[in-house]
Amino acid sequence: MSFSRRSFLKYAALSAGGTLLAETPFMGAKARAQAEGGKARYVPTTCEMCFWKCGVVAKVVDGKVVKLEGNPLHPQSLGKLCGRGQAGIGLLYDKDRLKVPMIRTGARGENRYKQASWDEALNYVAEKLTTIKGKYGAESIALFAHGSPGTYFANVVRALGSANISYPSFSQCLGARNVAWELTFGEAPQSTCERVDMANSRVIVLFGTHLGENMHNSQNQEFAQAVANGARIVVVDPRFSTAAGKASTWMPIKPGTDLALLLTWINLVITNGWYDKDYVNNYTNGFDKLAAEVKHYTPEWAARETELPEHDIVEVARALGRNAPNVMVHPGRHFSWHGNDTQRGRAMAILNALLGTWGRPGGIWLSPKGKLAKLTEHPAYPEPKRDSVVFGDYPFAGGEGLTNVVRETTISGDPYPIKAWIVTGTNLLKTMPNQEKTRKAIDKLDLLVSIDVMPTDTVMMADVILPECSYLERHDGLFGIETREAGVAIRQPVIEPLYQSKPAWWIGSQLCRALKLDDYAVKGTWEERMRREAKLWNIDYQELADKGYLSIPGSAAPYFTADNPPTFKTKSKKIELYSAELEDESFAPIPKYQAIEQPPAGQYRLLYGRSQVHTFSRTVNNQWLWELFKENQVWLNAKEAARLGLKDLALVRLVNQDGINSEPVRVKVTERIRPDCVYMVHGFGQHSPAMTRAYNRGADDQHLISKYKIDPICGTTGMRVNFVKIVKEA
Ligand SMILES: Nc1nc2c(c(=O)[nH]1)N[C@H]1C(S)=C(S)[C@@H](COP(=O)(O)OP(=O)(O)OC[C@H]3O[C@@H](n4cnc5c(=O)[nH]c(N)nc54)[C@H](O)[C@@H]3O)O[C@H]1N2
Ligand SMILES: Nc1nc2c(c(=O)[nH]1)N[C@H]1C(S)=C(S)[C@@H](COP(=O)(O)OP(=O)(O)OC[C@H]3O[C@@H](n4cnc5c(=O)[nH]c(N)nc54)[C@H](O)[C@@H]3O)O[C@H]1N2
Ligand code: SF4
Ligand SMILES: [Mo]
């Protein structure tokens, strides 16, 4: 497939839902309103349609939000929003939004609730939490969170005396990647965003990382720039992704064999001398051991294992070597694939190290200088009496906590019972593998509180539902934003909260008061606190509120040069090609290839990913995005479809290795996927009838992910280990 540069740029704009905006001059909200005669009001704020934290400028006419645009002053949006960001209005005005606090009256999942006042609902929660704490100890209260509301409830849980706090963004997303890079470089390859200098890169290799479907805004804009600048794009993906459409080489790898390819590239780069010798000599340790260890990973062997052409394997390694250090093997983001993910991440990090990409143009840029001071206005949290369970027995289970371990502990009651869950910003039934376990854990609870904006499947299991207002109706943050430079962004209300919904900071503070933990409640309003924070940071709050983003002058880290060498926060202060830390814990200090289980005849490996116009399950009911993409389909290779007698759009069910059936779903017959796997967009198959548009639309990939494989190093859950057969639906 070949696109001219011009048509690609047009296409890149289209792929964001057909609606990327042209850059608008923006000198601040007031100036803009004045320039236009004052009919419209403009409010800069921060998007939460996903977690990229783009700067938004909202246009308000007669009290109604009529348009959301990208803030040109903000480095995450660069004047544009993706389709989901623009559709924030669809969330704000969604008729199905949670509107009032509710207390369950029927059985869990029966959808019977009574309306409650805020006082009643919060007192009810506080009483229950107090009883549970009295009976089982504070540690029996756990928080699951994702995104900005988490902060306010982590405060409540810590104030109560528990540290059982976990986020799916570690366990079900990028945990293994960060751990791998921390072990290798002493630092994750991400600050606010992945620190990938794509626009200046000459060769970019993507493993999965389906940019263009994965619509993280500025990253996609930089990817488009890279293509326009003539970078060579190599896409390793069993599926011909949107990014593969921009690639010179598509490598349709056999799923789960990526480590074989990576180790072979490491071998080729070493044995052919294609690595950055000065860099490797000066900044790494363990090179000789690495060279010896990877010797037997030959291209012939890799070709058999990965089912990729040997010629391509060698040729891409050569291209990387020739263009090093201005190249990158993109570190990826969603990383919990097969349960051996930390070692895959290690191999990616090692390959980047050999090519000298850390801190170099076109590689991984360094994190900005200086850190913002922390504003703490409450007493220290009480020390939990019993250790938190959130890191399980995994020696490298990073700082964010493992959702799956909290779930496991809730089911087993070992080492102590967990009896209350506070859940906010995450749809656990859709997010964690093995829904039966999630339900089983919920059955064990004395209290499930949900703070959310939509009546999702998980919300409708809650005992108490507390309606948060959308991100367009609240103060939140300030947010420290680290891209190449450090900066500060604001989230502020564009309009007042609709219905009886409230911001998370208010709900959290009121809950503290109801629990008689007044010292942990916000002093005054959150906005007042934001002003105090701005003062601490020497930032003009008024200017920030007008512009949406302010950069911190002089914070950008330069590329590294020989007189400005990088410092590495590893134990040896060098890049650890050989990891003594892993060895000390009895893990392979250099990644070793081990083949993973492959599907039996007649079954396919279940793969999943993103649609450019949806975020997981959080947007499936959004009127605007729903109109663009109402339900997912199952991608199936054309030859396999012919063999099964299935035409395009045929209705089927998938049945997994444990006999679990999917909802009925249509087949997309395509040459764009290997014959041994099928692919679905994640987030569909909502069973909550209160989500009237999304209800029963499409199929839920998570329902079929009953099996998962835990990474022994960091405890994240590999989820691409399920096999399905396809059954025609009558
Ligand atoms: N529009 C949109 N964008 C998003 C999000 C969203 O919800 N919507 N979510 C954001 C978040 S939090 C994340 S973490 C990222 C996730 O997005 P990525 O980090 O890009 O996720 P991946 O799992 O790397 O990419 C999915 C691709 O991996 C391929 N794949 C499957 N199995 C294998 C394999 O064994 N080997 C290889 N090489 N490829 C394989 C699939 O075919 C698919 O094309 O997206 C972010 N961007
Ligand atoms: N099978 C499968 N599982 C996956 C993935 C996959 O691709 N396939 N992806 C994994 C990845 S990469 C990630 S990061 C996680 C994402 O996991 P989650 O973050 O759990 O994803 P969502 O499904 O978007 O659920 C978000 C919830 O937050 C609510 N919400 C949205 N905005 C707000 C707000 O402003 N305030 C509050 N209080 N709530 C809000 C939504 O209504 C929804 O209930 O899932 C992981 N799990
Ligand atoms: S990438 Fe899109 S959805 Fe995510 S924060 Fe930016 S505009 Fe919002
Ligand atoms: Mo993620």
Side-chain angles (χ1 to χ4, degrees):
M1 209 187 244
S2 87
F3 283 85
S4 72
R5 300 265 151 74
R6 181 181 284 265
S7 74
F8 162 66
L9 286 174
K10 253 197 291 184
Y11 182 76
L14 279 175
S15 64
T19 40
L20 279 186
L21 294 166
E23 228 166 271
T24 34
F26 179 75
M27 295 313 298
K30 278 204 198 99
R32 176 141 178 207
Q34 261 163 19
E36 293 180 3
K39 274 219 178 89
R41 195 161 61 79
Y42 290 92
V43 186
T45 191
T46 301
C47 187
E48 179 105 350
M49 294 297 283
C50 84
F51 303 104
W52 199 248
K53 288 211 165 88
C54 291
V56 178
V57 180
K59 178 177 183 178
V60 190
V61 178
D62 296 332
K64 273 220 127 194
V65 183
V66 296
K67 197 174 183 192
L68 302 176
E69 294 175 6
N71 185 346
L73 305 176
H74 195 299
Q76 300 289 96
S77 41
L78 303 167
K80 296 171 182 170
L81 295 180
C82 81
R84 300 166 297 150
Q86 290 176 63
I89 299 176
L91 170 68
L92 176 63
Y93 296 124
D94 194 319
K95 64 183 167 54
D96 296 336
R97 259 179 67 172
L98 295 172
K99 300 182 178 78
V100 292
M102 291 192 288
I103 299 176
R104 180 166 66 81
T105 53
R108 276 204 185 107
E110 226 181 43
N111 292 333
R112 284 186 16 224
Y113 287 87
K114 66 167 189 185
Q115 232 178 276
S117 68
W118 274 104
D119 273 351
E120 195 183 348
L122 290 166
N123 287 333
Y124 180 91
V125 173
E127 251 166 58
K128 287 259 176 184
L129 287 175
T130 307
T131 308
I132 291 167
K133 180 176 169 177
K135 204 159 156 195
Y136 303 103
E139 306 81 7
S140 64
I141 298 163
L143 170 72
F144 294 85
H146 197 184
S148 63
T151 322
Y152 311 104
F153 297 97
N155 176 56
V156 178
V157 168
R158 293 298 307 272
L160 279 163
S162 172
N164 281 323
I165 296 171
S166 67
Y167 301 83
S169 43
F170 186 90
S171 334
Q172 278 75 46
C173 180
L174 50 68
R177 180 203 68 181
N178 280 3
V179 169
W181 285 67
E182 281 156 12
L183 284 166
T184 314
F185 290 99
E187 210 181 317
Q190 174 179 354
S191 301
T192 303
C193 56
E194 278 76 23
R195 298 198 306 273
V196 283
D197 190 16
M198 281 192 286
N200 295 307
S201 205
R202 297 171 67 179
V203 183
I204 298 173
V205 180
L206 304 175
F207 279 83
T209 310
H210 53 334
L211 303 178
E213 289 153 297
N214 161 351
M215 269 312 295
H216 279 161
N217 187 354
S218 51
Q219 182 169 227
N220 278 275
Q221 295 190 49
E222 282 218 15
F223 182 56
Q225 267 176 36
V227 175
N229 293 344
R232 170 156 180 202
I233 311 293
V234 177
V235 169
V236 184
D237 194 316
R239 188 180 64 97
F240 189 85
S241 59
T242 299
K246 315 294 170 280
S248 67
T249 312
W250 171 41
M251 303 184 85
I253 195 165
K254 180 167 159 184
T257 64
D258 300 73
L259 187 54
L261 178 60
L262 285 159
L263 291 169
T264 303
W265 277 347
I266 292 173
N267 181 26
L268 284 169
V269 161
I270 293 176
T271 46
N272 292 295
W274 291 332
Y275 60 99
D276 187 331
K277 291 177 194 80
D278 285 346
Y279 189 95
V280 167
N281 285 339
N282 290 331
Y283 305 121
T284 70
N285 69 27
F287 179 78
D288 293 341
K289 285 186 195 151
L290 174 69
E293 174 81 33
V294 297
K295 241 203 208 120
H296 64 284
Y297 299 115
T298 63
E300 306 83 71
W301 167 81
R304 279 195 308 276
E305 198 60 31
T306 59
E307 299 181 358
L308 294 170
E310 189 182 327
H311 169 269
D312 286 357
I313 296 176
V314 177
E315 200 271 322
V316 171
R318 185 182 295 120
L320 281 169
R322 280 211 178 129
N323 292 286
N326 310 115
V327 301
M328 82 175 68
V329 179
H330 190 298
R333 184 170 181 120
H334 172 59
F335 221 71
S336 22
W337 292 6
H338 306 109
N340 54 2
D341 303 304
T342 308
Q343 293 290 18
R344 187 176 85 254
R346 276 273 296 155
M348 283 175 132
I350 289 170
L351 185 55
N352 275 288
L354 294 174
L355 296 165
T357 70
W358 184 270
R360 304 301 256 300
I364 311 294
W365 77 67
L366 305 175
S367 47
K369 293 179 285 187
K371 291 274 168 241
L372 294 166
K374 210 170 163 219
L375 176 67
T376 306
E377 299 189 320
H378 56 71
Y381 295 122
E383 212 31 63
K385 294 207 175 69
R386 292 170 292 185
D387 286 345
S388 82
V389 299
V390 297
F391 304 122
D393 294 328
Y394 307 98
F396 296 96
E400 279 208 304
L402 298 165
T403 51
N404 34 308
V405 178
V406 180
R407 184 178 67 179
E408 219 52 76
T409 308
T410 309
I411 295 171
S412 68
D414 180 31
Y416 50 76
I418 290 189
K419 286 293 178 184
W421 284 9
I422 299 176
V423 180
T424 189
T426 174
N427 187 356
L428 294 178
L429 280 166
K430 288 285 180 280
T431 300
M432 294 180 70
N434 197 318
Q435 292 172 336
E436 202 188 314
K437 280 196 179 180
T438 308
R439 288 215 177 78
K440 222 173 172 176
I442 291 175
D443 275 346
K444 297 269 181 181
L445 297 176
D446 290 351
L447 180 69
L448 173 54
V449 184
S450 190
I451 302 104
D452 205 292
V453 289
M454 293 299 297
T456 65
D457 288 7
T458 312
V459 170
M460 298 316 283
M461 296 295 285
D463 304 322
V464 183
I465 302 174
L466 303 176
E468 188 175 28
C469 55
S470 77
Y471 67 96
L472 292 168
E473 305 159 273
R474 66 186 194 233
H475 281 106
D476 213 343
L478 307 177
F479 301 121
I481 302 281
E482 289 194 352
T483 53
R484 260 162 244 236
E485 58 176 26
V488 178
I490 190 169
R491 177 175 286 149
Q492 55 189 343
V494 176
I495 58 168
E496 288 303 303
L498 298 176
Y499 320 109
Q500 288 179 42
S501 66
K502 295 281 188 187
W505 73 262
W506 182 91
I507 304 172
S509 276
Q510 291 302 103
L511 191 52
C512 284
R513 292 191 181 100
L515 284 161
K516 307 201 167 36
L517 295 166
D518 295 58
D519 285 352
Y520 296 90
V522 180
K523 321 273 176 281
T525 65
W526 191 257
E527 192 196 4
E528 284 158 8
R529 190 189 182 282
M530 284 163 70
R531 285 176 186 273
R532 293 193 289 274
E533 204 163 34
K535 203 162 176 190
L536 175 73
W537 295 344
N538 252 329
I539 277 179
D540 180 339
Y541 184 85
Q542 226 41 58
E543 190 186 357
L544 179 62
D546 189 54
K547 295 204 168 128
Y549 174 86
L550 295 176
S551 65
I552 295 173
S555 59
Y559 291 122
F560 114 80
T561 54
D563 11 309
N564 170 37
T567 48
F568 297 100
K569 295 174 197 145
T570 53
K571 273 213 175 122
S572 63
K573 306 276 178 256
K574 292 200 166 189
I575 304 171
E576 309 224 349
L577 303 177
Y578 182 96
S579 172
E581 275 189 88
L582 282 175
E583 190 175 40
D584 287 348
E585 294 286 347
S586 307
F587 297 115
I590 291 168
K592 276 192 199 330
Y593 183 69
Q594 264 187 320
I596 65 163
E597 193 190 348
Q598 291 297 333
Q603 296 187 36
Y604 306 89
R605 185 183 297 276
L606 176 67
L607 308 182
Y608 53 77
R610 309 279 169 257
S611 149
Q612 44 274 74
V613 297
H614 281 292
T615 304
F616 317 111
S617 76
R618 67 171 53 205
T619 57
V620 287
N621 204 65
N622 183 304
Q623 168 101 46
W624 295 16
L625 301 174
W626 178 83
E627 276 168 14
L628 291 169
F629 194 122
K630 293 192 174 73
E631 59 188 42
N632 56 356
Q633 299 176 342
V634 180
W635 291 44
L636 176 65
N637 177 273
K639 284 203 190 78
E640 291 298 305
R643 207 171 57 74
L644 298 175
L646 292 171
K647 294 224 161 67
D648 197 32
L649 300 180
L651 204 58
V652 298
R653 268 175 204 272
L654 305 183
V655 184
N656 83 352
Q657 70 282 332
D658 300 324
I660 295 178
N661 275 253
S662 74
E663 297 83 358
V665 57
R666 291 191 191 279
V667 171
K668 172 186 171 99
V669 176
T670 174
E671 303 283 349
R672 288 175 55 186
I673 189 165
R674 285 174 55 97
D676 54 359
C677 49
V678 292
Y679 175 85
M680 289 160 78
V681 167
H682 167 67
F684 286 84
Q686 285 282 335
H687 298 297
S688 159
M691 306 260 286
T692 56
R693 282 181 214 98
Y695 179 56
N696 272 348
R697 288 273 188 172
D700 177 6
D701 58 328
Q702 200 63 284
H703 189 51
L704 296 165
I705 303 179
S706 47
K707 190 168 153 190
Y708 56 96
K709 278 205 107 158
I710 297 189
D711 188 300
I713 298 176
C714 69
T716 53
T717 58
M719 303 190 287
R720 289 185 182 149
V721 294
N722 289 263
F723 305 139
V724 294
K725 60 182 188 208
I726 301 180
V727 182
K728 247 192 237 185
E729 180 75 349

